Amino acid sequence: MLRQYELVDRVLGYDPRADEALINRAYVYAMKKHGSQMRASGDPYFSHPIEVAGILTDLKLDTATIVTAILHDTIEDTGATVDELADLFGVEIANLVDGVTKLTRIELTSERSKQAENFRKFLLAMSNDIRVLLVKLADRLHNMRTLHFIQSAEKRQRIAQETMDIYAPLAGRMGIQEIREELEDLAFKELNPEARETLLKRLNEFSAESGDIVEHIAADLRAKLNAGGLACEVDGRQKRPYSVWRKMERRAISLEQLSDIFGFRIMVDDIPDCYRALGVLHMNWPMVPGRFKDYISTPKNNGYRSIHTTMIGPKQKRVEIQIRTHKMHEVAELGIAAHWLYKEGPSGAERSEEFAGTFSWLRQLIEMLEHGGSPEEFLEHTKLQMFSDQVFCFTPKGTLITLPRGATPIDFAYAVHTEVGDSCVGCKINGRHMPLRSVLVNGDEVEIIRSQAQRPSPAWEAFVITGKARSAIRRSIRSAKEAEFGRLGRQILKGVFEAAGKDASDVVLQRALHSLHKDDLDDLLASVGDGTLSAQQVFETVYPEAPAKKGGRRKLVKSNGAGDQRGVVRITGANHGLAIRMATNSFPLPGERIVGIITPGEGVTIYPIDAPALEEFDGETTRWLDVAWDIDPEHPQFFPARLNVTARNEVGALGHITSLVADYGSNITNLTMTQRDSDFYDMQLDLEVRDFKHLTRIMSALNGISVVSQVMRPRR
């Protein structure tokens, strides 16, 4: 354990202006508060906060952060309060300790929803002062170093998985690579010990076989660069087991196939020297195509800048090389801590160009927080944002947009602006119209085609990558669904009230709000529309003396769509989607008698009145809804339909069938061969038709050609 004077000497060694008295007071206070508390290792508990403070001295952080590290467990584990810390050490330090405490509580529960909610609170605190994260990362690092002392294997696994999922990626996002790599490797040791041991054994064997190959390669690189007139530092190291494992997983190769297990760094004085060094290397050794990246001209979001290249270098070994200035190296190792408070102050750090992307990322996370969604969704989106390599794309005006690898034009649109994503209808990639699900690659120029009439499609969720895009899509869908449920609810209530000869004005409906525990009329209408509240309940609340008419299959079949149309909900082709859906595999069409079934929380599903699937709802009369088509003949629409066709197994038979369907103005959306023998084959045709008559004409025409034996419309 660090002694008091050793900790103070470390801080004064890089920051002579540090408040020595404040550090000493915090040391004594924390020691008294933790008293006789012990850790699982058997060491005094007080050794933990001191070791955390020692880790932060390696990052050369300011006095307030070091004091926060010393005190970070006092609120959680002792009788200390935020007010007491504010009186003794100032409001700034008290707020920092409180922020770290909120994050620590994540570790005290295994319930995912509580973990996600605490993570939201932590990110809010972190957005106000990034030092909260720096302290917590150091706290987690020391806990991982002593993880093996915990007796419970399940608890060790949970802590290690949490480290891999949240803390290591956060360290990477902040650019603190040393902490990230150590956290990953310590978590890997717990989560997959056999793989790690196997890798370590093989790496050690490789090092023994290679001898001093790293130093020989470094010396050759240094000699060539010096001969080129460049003053530089060159160092090499073997990669950590988890880094090697991840590369093997990503490339789906064995360790024997992985030749670049050593990395070399070249540090020079300024940026021009970086490019001169690159020229010297490529003049002397062949580069590996596709393995060059320039993060100096296009830095990563966390401020990281370097040139990466892979060469068949000295000794005919494949080597990865990073070229950077000394300042870039400091940023690469320490990340956002490299220029924190004691150098630039909080506002200066946020304005720093090197870390603009980091703060932009934090602002995007806070924007997702402000727009709602469940805590679990937010945690999912955050993980998506953290686990990502990058591609660099451009707008038509040349603005650089950085995205995670695998991103699509939808991700690009939302990265530009939420409104651009919401109104996206198409895209051009490098001047060519391309599908919205296309995967973007480095250097793509992306033009987003917009329409104000557009709204995000639920199908987009299947192929977007970024948390911002997924969050915005879900938010838009929720908003659209609420609006649709509200419109549907009004139609349903109007139908029920009209069928009973009663008024359904807003003034009348508001009488039911208090009794039904609804905040406002919109809430009431949406609840009726999504089926969580029945229209009959609302009617009987407003008019208790006049019960609403009961529905049900017998009543609707008997009416057969004729006579009194009061109480009927009108269905157009445009209004089915989120609140009104067509029954799967039933394919109701205009011109057929239809019925709606209300499902709580989901809205209304439309069935043909003779669908066998309706039998299961016979005993639930309150779920039946009288509906009818309301299609404008001047503006025909297309609806899905399905046919089962048995045809002769002859040359050209399929061509005859598809040509006939096209001649009748229909489009085949899917064709599946369900059975085939020497004489006949059965197939399933999915079509787009205008109405029941259109489908009937197609069926008659198909039955009239010689290659077709039978045409049937399936009923489910």
Side-chain angles (χ1 to χ4, degrees):
M1 182 178 78
L2 279 175
R3 298 184 181 276
Q4 185 172 350
Y5 73 89
E6 292 174 328
L7 179 63
V8 173
D9 285 347
R10 280 197 187 189
V11 178
L12 292 176
Y14 63 81
D15 184 10
R17 299 170 299 173
D19 190 338
E20 182 178 351
L22 184 65
I23 297 173
N24 286 327
R25 286 207 319 274
Y27 193 103
V28 173
Y29 176 85
M31 180 180 286
K32 289 181 178 178
K33 281 292 182 181
H34 287 293
S36 60
Q37 293 175 349
M38 305 295 286
R39 286 174 59 80
S41 62
D43 295 330
Y45 191 91
F46 180 62
S47 64
H48 168 64
I50 297 308
E51 291 299 328
V52 171
I55 291 170
L56 293 174
T57 61
D58 293 334
L59 298 179
K60 302 179 181 179
L61 288 169
D62 64 307
T63 303
T65 311
I66 301 301
V67 171
T68 298
I70 297 171
L71 303 173
H72 79 270
D73 276 336
T74 54
I75 295 177
E76 186 69 40
D77 296 328
T78 75
T81 65
V82 176
D83 290 340
E84 182 181 352
L85 294 181
D87 290 339
L88 293 174
F89 303 102
V91 174
E92 178 189 21
I93 289 173
N95 288 337
L96 286 170
V97 174
D98 187 42
V100 178
T101 301
K102 287 177 180 176
L103 180 55
T104 301
R105 288 176 182 145
I106 291 178
E107 301 162 18
L108 304 182
T109 175
S110 61
E111 296 180 42
R112 180 175 172 82
S113 60
K114 290 182 180 179
Q115 181 194 51
E117 182 58 39
N118 279 321
F119 191 57
R120 289 176 67 152
K121 292 177 182 177
F122 159 66
L123 282 173
L124 286 170
M126 186 178 78
S127 70
N128 292 325
D129 198 321
I130 203 74
R131 292 174 294 179
V132 170
L133 173 61
L134 300 178
V135 174
K136 190 56 202 175
L137 288 176
D139 174 50
R140 177 50 64 109
L141 179 57
H142 185 253
N143 283 334
M144 288 300 295
R145 288 173 177 174
T146 56
L147 185 66
H148 57 283
F149 289 111
I150 295 176
Q151 296 299 313
S152 169
E154 185 276 332
K155 186 176 181 181
R156 292 198 308 272
Q157 286 273 318
R158 177 179 60 78
I159 293 172
Q161 192 62 59
E162 190 177 65
T163 299
M164 193 71 85
D165 286 349
I166 295 176
Y167 293 102
L170 273 173
R173 270 292 185 171
M174 297 300 111
I176 313 172
Q177 298 305 322
E178 282 295 320
I179 289 183
R180 175 192 177 179
E181 290 179 1
E182 187 173 354
L183 285 174
E184 287 176 338
D185 208 44
L186 290 169
F188 183 47
K189 182 178 181 180
E190 179 63 38
L191 296 172
N192 201 339
E194 292 182 5
R196 186 176 182 275
E197 284 303 314
T198 301
L199 271 175
L200 270 177
K201 182 180 178 181
R202 185 69 187 89
L203 289 171
N204 290 336
E205 289 173 357
F206 185 84
S207 297
E209 293 169 3
S210 302
D212 296 329
I213 187 68
V214 174
E215 183 50 44
H216 286 313
I217 292 175
D220 285 351
L221 293 173
R222 197 178 297 114
K224 291 294 184 182
L225 291 167
N226 289 339
L230 288 164
C232 63
E233 293 180 28
V234 179
D235 64 48
R237 64 171 182 170
Q238 180 178 288
K239 294 180 179 178
R240 291 180 182 267
Y242 181 72
S243 176
V244 175
W245 171 264
R246 184 169 54 189
K247 185 167 289 190
M248 289 166 56
E249 289 279 288
R250 188 172 65 245
R251 297 186 189 175
I253 58 177
S254 65
L255 181 63
E256 286 70 23
Q257 295 172 287
L258 189 68
S259 56
D260 48 347
I261 60 175
F262 298 111
F264 293 85
R265 294 169 182 161
I266 297 171
M267 288 159 282
V268 294
D269 293 330
D270 53 35
I271 291 176
D273 280 353
C274 291
Y275 291 99
R276 281 195 284 271
L278 178 68
V280 170
L281 296 179
H282 284 186
M283 286 174 63
N284 285 276
W285 294 285
M287 69 168 287
V288 177
R291 301 287 297 160
F292 172 79
K293 295 177 182 177
D294 186 352
Y295 292 120
I296 293 180
S297 63
T298 52
K300 290 188 176 184
N301 282 341
N302 59 15
Y304 177 86
R305 303 174 74 196
S306 284
I307 295 173
H308 290 195
T309 188
T310 302
M311 310 181 311
I312 307 301
K315 315 297 181 185
Q316 294 300 303
K317 295 291 184 181
R318 177 169 163 153
V319 293
E320 287 188 355
I321 296 176
Q322 300 166 353
I323 307 170
R324 58 180 69 146
T325 66
H326 295 286
K327 183 178 180 181
M328 290 175 192
H329 179 67
E330 183 182 29
V331 171
E333 295 300 298
L334 305 182
I336 203 165
H339 292 282
W340 197 240
L341 294 180
Y342 73 93
K343 290 184 178 179
E344 297 186 2
S347 59
E350 185 158 357
R351 288 195 303 267
S352 170
E353 291 183 5
E354 289 166 314
F355 303 109
T358 297
F359 283 98
S360 173
W361 174 71
L362 284 174
R363 283 192 292 271
Q364 287 180 13
L365 289 184
I366 301 310
E367 180 185 339
M368 284 193 280
L369 277 173
E370 291 170 347
H371 284 92
S374 69
E376 292 87 346
E377 266 186 39
F378 176 74
L379 187 59
E380 173 196 344
H381 300 331
T382 306
K383 288 181 181 180
L384 284 172
Q385 292 286 81
M386 292 191 295
F387 284 118
S388 60
D389 202 351
Q390 293 176 309
V391 293
F392 300 97
C393 302
F394 299 87
T395 68
K397 293 184 178 180
T399 302
L400 176 66
I401 302 294
T402 306
L403 296 165
R405 194 167 300 281
T408 65
I410 297 293
D411 295 299
F412 181 94
Y414 278 107
V416 172
H417 198 280
T418 302
E419 291 181 3
V420 176
D422 286 345
S423 58
C424 175
V425 293
C427 70
K428 290 183 179 179
I429 301 177
N430 302 321
R432 297 177 57 196
H433 285 280
M434 297 292 287
L436 288 174
R437 62 174 60 249
S438 303
V439 175
L440 301 175
V441 298
N442 275 323
D444 278 346
E445 180 186 285
V446 184
E447 179 184 349
I448 301 299
I449 301 168
R450 303 173 60 190
S451 169
Q452 294 307 314
Q454 170 70 341
R455 71 180 184 194
S457 166
W460 289 358
E461 265 203 82
F463 54 82
V464 295
I465 294 296
T466 59
K468 181 178 181 181
R470 186 158 295 175
S471 175
I473 292 166
R474 289 183 179 176
R475 183 169 66 247
S476 178
I477 291 171
R478 277 195 300 267
S479 176
K481 186 178 289 188
E482 288 169 5
E484 281 196 26
F485 280 142
R487 288 192 292 270
L488 176 60
R490 185 176 291 279
Q491 289 184 63
I492 294 173
L493 285 172
K494 182 181 178 183
V496 170
F497 278 62
E498 282 184 351
K502 297 294 185 179
D503 180 25
S505 65
D506 288 355
V507 174
V508 171
L509 295 176
Q510 284 174 347
R511 298 178 199 164
L513 296 180
H514 178 72
S515 299
L516 297 174
H517 309 291
K518 298 300 176 184
D519 296 330
D520 51 37
L521 190 57
D522 289 340
D523 189 16
L524 176 74
L525 295 174
S527 296
V528 174
D530 70 11
T532 55
L533 177 66
S534 75
Q536 186 172 332
Q537 286 177 272
V538 178
F539 181 87
E540 292 176 353
T541 301
V542 177
Y543 297 110
E545 75 289 349
K549 294 181 180 180
K550 304 290 185 180
R553 183 186 183 98
R554 185 176 301 171
K555 166 187 173 289
L556 294 174
V557 171
K558 185 177 179 181
S559 72
N560 198 30
D564 187 2
Q565 290 292 298
R566 290 184 303 170
V568 176
V569 174
R570 317 300 297 185
I571 304 297
T572 67
N575 70 356
H576 71 267
L578 298 175
I580 300 176
R581 299 186 309 277
M582 301 300 159
T584 305
N585 296 327
S586 290
F587 304 101
L589 294 172
E592 292 184 291
R593 182 76 175 100
I594 53 175
V595 64
I597 297 295
I598 300 173
T599 302
E602 297 181 9
V604 175
T605 304
I606 306 299
Y607 292 86
I609 196 69
D610 59 347
L614 287 171
E615 293 178 5
E616 65 179 284
F617 306 112
D618 275 345
E620 303 177 78
T621 58
T622 58
R623 293 182 62 183
W624 290 69
L625 182 67
D626 201 359
V627 296
W629 293 105
D630 186 15
I631 304 299
D632 183 359
E634 299 297 323
H635 299 89
Q637 302 171 55
F638 283 90
F639 296 82
R642 176 169 290 172
L643 295 176
N644 290 335
V645 180
T646 301
R648 293 181 185 174
N649 192 357
E650 296 180 2
V651 175
L654 184 59
H656 284 302
I657 293 169
T658 56
S659 296
L660 185 144
V661 171
D663 290 341
Y664 274 77
S666 178
N667 183 43
I668 298 176
T669 58
N670 192 41
L671 188 152
T672 305
M673 295 290 182
T674 57
Q675 185 174 338
R676 182 173 181 173
D677 54 36
S678 58
D679 298 322
F680 294 93
Y681 58 84
D682 297 330
M683 62 183 169
Q684 181 177 280
L685 286 180
D686 288 342
L687 316 171
E688 290 178 331
V689 297
R690 291 185 292 276
D691 51 30
F692 180 67
K693 289 182 179 179
H694 188 192
L695 180 64
T696 302
R697 288 197 299 270
I698 294 173
M699 292 176 66
S700 297
L702 286 172
N703 272 316
I705 60 177
S706 60
V707 295
V708 173
S709 172
Q710 186 182 54
V711 179
M712 295 182 62
R713 187 182 178 200
R715 278 294 185 201
R716 297 182 184 179

